[in-house]
């Protein structure tokens, strides 16, 4: 029975079913970046085959790019080489390429939605696991490996077994100071980093209905951190409103036809999921992680759990705390920090900068903090300037960098030094993720802002007036 | 990229009894700058394996000469995190053909299968037995039999079966990859593409 949102979109893309095997799965839109594509293009060359549908692929430079002085040549020769390879490959195959300095340049999962590449009911892949972001629009979107990038370039298809389905319901109203990032970190802390492996998740319930499109992107983005292949939310008026008129969305008659289809994209009342979980919005407070995987998160007013209360390996848990130099039972609040990173495809959009600015406004950056504020794209950067947020940031002692993945994966020069603590709005706190020896605490833009002005882990609610935060 | 056929692998194993080994540990992002698939094995587990001054860390298992083999045995939830196929390349390039764990992250598993590394998922109990067997004798041999879908501790004869998708199994045992298969379906794909609304 094809009656969940996920089934409807999946089944519409199966070119062929293989007995006891994966489906031959059609990809509507493919995003590529410099890091995971060169070997795929090389594969095409070795086989002497062209890109089948270049107009369905879009290329950007983001993972490996500097976030200052982008107008100058890229200094690191290896990075420069990768960027050149992408430009050359894209040009050779007729793929639109938005390189450094291009007005549409930015992090691949930020520019997809911005330019209307991301559509409800579409299948979207990219050689980056946070491709799940695009599920916010009711698309099936997931990360793939380089062999699969080559498959999509060559045939617009990949071979995929259909994942199982899971629905996560959260009803009720989010409390003051609780953002979509907190919702996601809360879910991951409940499920652990492998709790949704093998599943594709649909997020449902009031909390997600009431969430902005950008908030939905944050939540879907983090689906991969609980092991899920992806996450999605049924499209609604907000979705249609967001995509209407963007460059690559259908126009005129094509729009009307698409709308007729999009209106059918929801899970039926009798839809059955392989697994269904329900949480209560009221239980969620601002979250922060204390360990070395995104499942090791807690409400900011709690302490660091003791190993005894953790399921799974005590040794692994202790190794993780040792890396962070934290003790079981410590309060997380009040821990001194050294860096703040606002950015990434998780929280590098305009609403994230608005949230950050709402706290730093009228305050000053703490002297012990180095802050890297990195917009997700040039369009986000432009909005930051146009809305006057840049002035607020400057007055508070912050600088804005240029768009890119930056310290999210620290492939460029934006590396947190060994042993230093960073409150980061990105998505992974693995050992060394933000630089060899770096210690990452994942949190929302509000928590990051509170840390940036106080120099320590601080509950943002203490710095906020009672008001509704978007 | 074509790879060697996988049938029966008899080998000692390298133990890594840590849970949630993520792809940033398997191959840190700063080693992803290549434009060719070469030399990733040198940086497999780079930051666990080497000090910042590039001297080997004595205690890490890959630096311990008593362990060797084509089988890597990891703790639960192996390969979580990034989609970088470089992680699977590093495992392959270092010389492993098989990774054993009680649980794999999805994308990593897929990537392994696509490049000729066999992910063998077994019960936590059997995984424990394997770790104990290696601990007792680092020269313990294992046999991974793809057609029978079994992994055996040769000294004791204890074995467990593992699951694998039939199609992938066929590919692995023949050394085929998916692109060959898909290219043969090109006309079907093109007909399908014409029906897509966007
Ligand atoms: S910001 Fe981080 S997670 Fe997002 S695409 Fe870039 S590297 Fe991947």
């Amino acid at each position: 029975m094809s009656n969940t949102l996920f089934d409807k979109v999946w089944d519409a893309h199966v070119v062929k079913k293989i007995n006891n095997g994966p489906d031959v799965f059609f990809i509507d839109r493919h995003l590529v970046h410099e890091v995971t594509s060169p070997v795929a293009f090389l594969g095409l060359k070795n086989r002497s085959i062209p890109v089948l549908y270049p107009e369905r692929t879009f290329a950007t430079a983001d993972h490996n790019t500097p976030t200052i002085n982008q107008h100058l040549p890229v200094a690191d020769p290896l990075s420069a080489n990768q960027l050149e390879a992408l430009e050359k490959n894209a040009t050779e195959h007729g793929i639109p390429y938005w390189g450094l300095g291009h007005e549409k340049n930015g992090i691949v999962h930020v520019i997809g939605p911005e330019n209307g590449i991301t559509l409800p009911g579409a299948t979207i892949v990219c050689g980056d696991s946070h491709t799940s972001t695009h599920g916010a629009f009711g698309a099936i979107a997931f990360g793939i490996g380089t062999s699969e990038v080559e498959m999509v370039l060559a045939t617009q298809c990949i071979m995929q077994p259909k994942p199982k389905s899971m629905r996560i319901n959260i009803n009720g109203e989010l409390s003051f100071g609780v953002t979509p990032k907190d919702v996601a970190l809360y879910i991951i802390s409940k499920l652990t980093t492998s709790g949704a492996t093998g599943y594709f998740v649909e997020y449902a319930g009031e909390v997600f209905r009431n969430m902005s499109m950008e908030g939905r992107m944050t939540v879907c983005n983090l689906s991969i951190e609980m092991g899920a292949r992806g996450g999605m939310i049924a499209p609604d008026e907000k979705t249609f409103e967001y995509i209407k008129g963007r460059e690559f969305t259908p126009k005129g008659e094509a729009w009307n036809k698409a709308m007729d289809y999009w209106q059918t994209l929801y899970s039926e009342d009798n839809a059955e999921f392989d697994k269904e979980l329900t949480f209560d919005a009221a239980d969620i407070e601002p979250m922060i992680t204390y360990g070395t995987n995104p499942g090791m998160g807690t409400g900011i007013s709690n302490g660091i759990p003791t190993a005894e209360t953790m399921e799974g390996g005590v040794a692994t848990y202790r190794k993780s705390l040792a890396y962070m130099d934290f003790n079981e039972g410590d309060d997380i609040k009040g821990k001194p920090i050294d860096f703040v990173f606002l950015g990434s495809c998780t929280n590098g959009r305009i609403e994230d900068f608005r949230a950050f600015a709402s706290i730093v406004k009228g305050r000053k950056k703490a002297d012990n903090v180095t802050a890297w504020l990195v917009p997700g794209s040039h369009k986000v950067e432009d909005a930051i300037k146009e809305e006057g947020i840049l002035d607020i940031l400057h007055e508070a002692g912050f600088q804005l960098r240029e768009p890119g993945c930056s310290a999210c994966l620290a492939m460029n020069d934006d590396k947190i030094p060994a042993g230093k603590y960073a409150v980061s709005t990105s998505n992974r706190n693995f050992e060394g993720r933000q630089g060899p020896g770096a210690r990452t605490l994942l949190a929302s833009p509000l928590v990051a802002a509170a840390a940036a002005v106080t120099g320590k882990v601080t509950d943002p609610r203490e710095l906020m007036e009672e008001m509704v935060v978007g | 990229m074509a790879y060697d056929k996988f049938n029966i692998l008899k080998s000692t194993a390298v133990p890594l009894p840590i849970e949630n080994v993520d792809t940033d540990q398997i191959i840190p992002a700063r080693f992803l700058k290549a434009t060719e698939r070469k030399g990733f094995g040198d940086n497999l587990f780079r930051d666990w394996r080497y000090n910042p001054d590039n001297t080997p860390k004595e205690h890490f298992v890959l630096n311990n000469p008593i362990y060797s083999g084509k089988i890597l045995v990891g703790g639960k939830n192996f390969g979580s995190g990034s989609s970088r196929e470089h992680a699977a390349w590093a495992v392959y390039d270092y010389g492993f053909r098989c990774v054993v764990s009680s649980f794999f992250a999805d994308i990593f598993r897929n990537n392994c299968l696509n490049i000729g590394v066999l992910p063998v998922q077994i019960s936590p109990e059997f995984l424990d037995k394997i770790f104990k067997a290696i601990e007792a004798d680092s020269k313990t041999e294992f046999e991974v039999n793809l057609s029978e879908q079994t992994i055996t501790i040769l000294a004791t004869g204890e074995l467990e079966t593992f699951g694998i998708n039939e199609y992938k199994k066929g590919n692995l045992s023949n050394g085929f990859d998916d692109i060959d298969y898909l290219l043969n379906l090109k006309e079907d794909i093109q007909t399908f593409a014409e029906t897509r609304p966007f």
Side-chain angles (χ1 to χ4, degrees):
Chain A
M1 261 289 288
S2 171
N3 57 7
T4 66
L5 165 65
F6 173 68
D7 285 332
K8 287 176 181 176
V9 181
W10 183 280
D11 295 347
H13 290 86
V14 175
V15 177
K16 182 180 158 129
K17 279 195 168 309
I18 300 174
N19 258 345
N20 291 320
D23 292 340
V24 175
F25 193 65
F26 188 82
I27 302 304
D28 291 313
R29 293 183 170 187
H30 180 202
L31 305 165
V32 301
H33 61 83
E34 72 276 22
V35 175
T36 53
S37 69
V39 172
F41 281 108
L42 206 62
L44 294 187
K45 196 167 161 195
N46 292 340
R47 293 174 204 256
S48 309
I49 45 177
V51 174
L52 184 60
Y53 294 113
E55 68 279 15
R56 291 182 177 275
T57 294
F58 302 83
T60 185
D62 57 358
H63 279 62
N64 206 350
T65 53
T67 55
I68 47 170
N69 292 328
Q70 288 187 349
H71 58 287
L72 299 177
V74 174
D76 173 11
L78 291 174
S79 302
N81 183 34
Q82 245 180 7
L83 294 169
E84 267 165 40
L86 180 60
E87 180 164 14
K88 190 179 134 282
N89 287 328
T91 315
E92 193 177 309
H93 291 281
I95 293 168
Y97 172 66
W98 305 334
L100 274 190
H102 192 286
E103 54 170 14
K104 293 198 194 89
N105 177 259
I107 304 174
V108 65
H109 310 309
V110 175
I111 63 171
E114 259 174 13
N115 292 290
I117 295 167
T118 308
L119 298 176
T123 49
I124 302 168
V125 294
C126 170
D128 181 283
S129 54
H130 293 93
T131 308
S132 58
T133 313
H134 309 267
F137 295 80
I140 288 184
F142 53 87
I144 57 176
T146 297
S147 296
E148 291 166 313
V149 172
E150 187 181 338
M151 289 176 217
V152 180
L153 290 172
T155 70
Q156 209 57 40
C157 286
I158 50 176
M159 314 281 295
Q160 285 292 304
K162 187 173 178 179
K164 291 179 281 186
S165 63
M166 179 189 292
R167 180 158 65 184
I168 296 178
N169 306 287
I170 308 186
N171 285 307
E173 218 177 296
L174 292 177
S175 312
F176 170 66
V178 176
T179 69
K181 179 66 163 288
D182 303 305
V183 174
L185 286 177
Y186 176 84
I187 299 173
I188 303 164
S189 76
K190 293 290 169 199
L191 269 84
T192 78
T193 50
S194 58
T197 302
Y199 290 90
F200 214 96
V201 175
E202 177 180 346
Y203 299 97
E206 272 169 272
V207 162
F208 305 107
R209 285 271 77 81
N210 293 337
M211 216 175 252
S212 69
M213 285 316 293
E214 295 199 358
R216 293 178 189 181
M217 286 187 239
T218 301
V219 169
C220 288
N221 173 282
L222 288 162
S223 305
I224 181 75
E225 304 308 336
M226 51 188 180
R229 205 62 206 277
M232 65 199 302
I233 295 175
D236 58 11
E237 283 312 314
K238 256 185 226 172
T239 319
F240 307 137
E241 183 65 27
Y242 181 100
I243 58 176
K244 194 164 190 183
R246 293 189 187 252
E247 185 169 343
F248 292 91
T249 43
K251 307 274 159 19
E253 200 32 50
W255 169 268
N256 295 338
K257 250 178 89 182
M259 274 296 276
D260 288 344
Y261 172 56
W262 293 338
Q263 310 270 14
T264 68
L265 297 178
Y266 53 84
S267 290
E268 307 287 340
D269 288 341
N270 62 351
E272 278 182 31
F273 293 81
D274 296 307
K275 194 165 180 177
E276 186 137 13
L277 297 171
T278 301
F279 300 106
D280 187 348
D283 293 339
I284 310 175
E285 66 159 343
M287 298 284 294
I288 190 157
T289 66
Y290 53 84
T292 55
N293 73 55
M296 299 174 81
T298 180
I300 196 158
S301 52
N302 298 331
I304 295 171
T306 53
E308 281 69 47
T309 66
M310 301 302 291
E311 53 156 295
V314 172
T316 304
Y317 183 71
R318 296 223 161 106
K319 179 176 180 290
S320 172
L321 287 196
Y323 179 86
M324 296 299 290
D325 198 17
F326 285 160
N327 298 310
E328 296 172 37
D330 278 4
D331 267 347
I332 188 82
K333 226 162 64 173
K335 292 271 183 207
I337 59 118
D338 311 290
F339 281 75
V340 164
F341 171 56
L342 173 67
S344 88
C345 59
T346 311
N347 284 121
R349 286 172 288 265
I350 187 63
E351 285 179 10
D352 303 312
F353 280 83
R354 285 183 199 138
F356 189 91
S358 74
I359 288 200
V360 305
K361 185 172 184 177
R363 296 192 166 91
K364 287 280 178 219
K365 182 182 80 63
D367 290 337
N368 62 318
V369 170
T370 304
W372 291 336
L373 315 184
V374 187
S377 70
H378 277 301
K379 290 193 177 166
V380 173
E381 186 184 7
D382 292 346
I384 290 170
K385 292 177 181 160
E386 278 158 27
E387 294 185 14
I389 292 174
L390 187 61
D391 299 332
I392 296 172
L393 297 175
H394 281 166
E395 272 162 37
F398 295 93
Q399 300 299 321
L400 191 66
R401 298 174 82 92
E402 292 171 284
C405 294
S406 180
C408 173
L409 90 166
M411 256 190 99
N412 64 0
D413 290 338
D414 306 348
K415 292 180 176 55
I416 310 291
K420 298 291 183 194
Y421 291 94
V423 174
S424 293
T425 66
S426 50
N427 40 57
R428 285 187 175 140
N429 50 352
F430 298 147
E431 285 183 33
R433 168 76 176 187
Q434 296 198 280
R439 295 171 171 147
T440 302
L441 293 87
L442 299 175
S444 74
L446 292 178
V447 174
V453 294
T454 60
K456 56 188 182 194
V457 176
T458 300
D459 188 334
R461 292 170 296 190
E462 292 165 13
L463 306 180
M464 294 162 72
E465 287 160 37
E466 280 287 336
M467 54 171 199
V468 183
V469 180
Chain B
M1 182 159 146
Y3 46 80
D4 299 337
K5 296 176 186 180
F6 194 114
N7 290 309
I8 293 175
L9 175 67
K10 211 190 268 182
S11 170
T12 51
V14 177
L16 194 64
I18 298 171
E19 297 189 1
N20 302 318
V21 172
D22 59 77
T23 50
D24 278 84
Q25 309 316 318
I26 301 175
I27 184 99
R30 60 187 190 282
F31 300 112
L32 309 184
K33 296 188 183 185
T35 51
E36 287 176 84
R37 195 186 138 180
K38 265 194 206 146
F40 286 98
D42 294 344
N43 295 317
L44 176 69
F45 292 114
R46 182 75 202 193
D47 293 338
W48 285 354
R49 203 167 139 198
Y50 295 102
N51 292 306
D53 64 3
N54 291 331
T55 53
K57 289 187 183 176
E58 238 179 88
H59 297 294
F60 188 61
V61 65
L62 294 187
N63 296 326
N64 187 339
I66 69 167
Y67 299 110
S68 63
K70 292 181 185 248
I71 302 172
L72 176 65
V73 188
K76 184 183 148 199
N77 197 26
F78 194 89
S80 60
S82 151
S83 64
R84 61 187 70 155
E85 196 167 296
H86 312 67
W89 297 342
V91 167
Y92 184 98
D93 192 50
Y94 183 86
F96 293 116
R97 288 305 306 278
C98 173
V99 186
V100 178
S101 175
S102 58
F103 199 85
F104 287 96
D106 267 345
I107 304 185
F108 179 77
R109 176 206 298 270
N110 236 337
N111 286 341
C112 282
L113 287 166
N114 281 338
I115 66 153
V117 171
L118 175 64
V120 169
Q121 185 165 320
I122 51 174
S123 67
E125 296 73 34
F126 199 64
L127 182 68
D128 204 46
K129 264 190 196 157
I130 291 181
F131 279 132
K132 290 214 168 99
I134 306 174
E135 200 184 300
D137 175 8
S138 64
K139 293 286 163 265
T140 302
E141 280 203 306
F142 301 88
E143 184 184 281
V144 179
N145 185 321
L146 179 59
S147 68
E148 301 288 324
Q149 298 179 213
T150 54
I151 173 164
T152 310
I153 307 174
L154 286 174
T156 62
E158 287 170 286
L159 65 91
E160 197 168 278
T161 54
F162 58 87
I164 182 171
N165 176 302
E166 279 298 316
Y167 166 85
K168 287 289 182 191
K169 181 174 167 180
N171 273 2
L172 219 52
S173 47
N174 292 310
F176 290 163
D177 70 14
D178 286 339
I179 298 188
D180 301 328
Y181 181 89
L182 287 171
L183 284 171
N184 281 329
L185 288 181
K186 200 165 147 194
E187 277 176 26
D188 293 354
I189 294 171
Q190 283 171 317
T191 313
F192 186 92
E194 275 160 33
T195 68
R196 292 300 305 150
F198 39 74

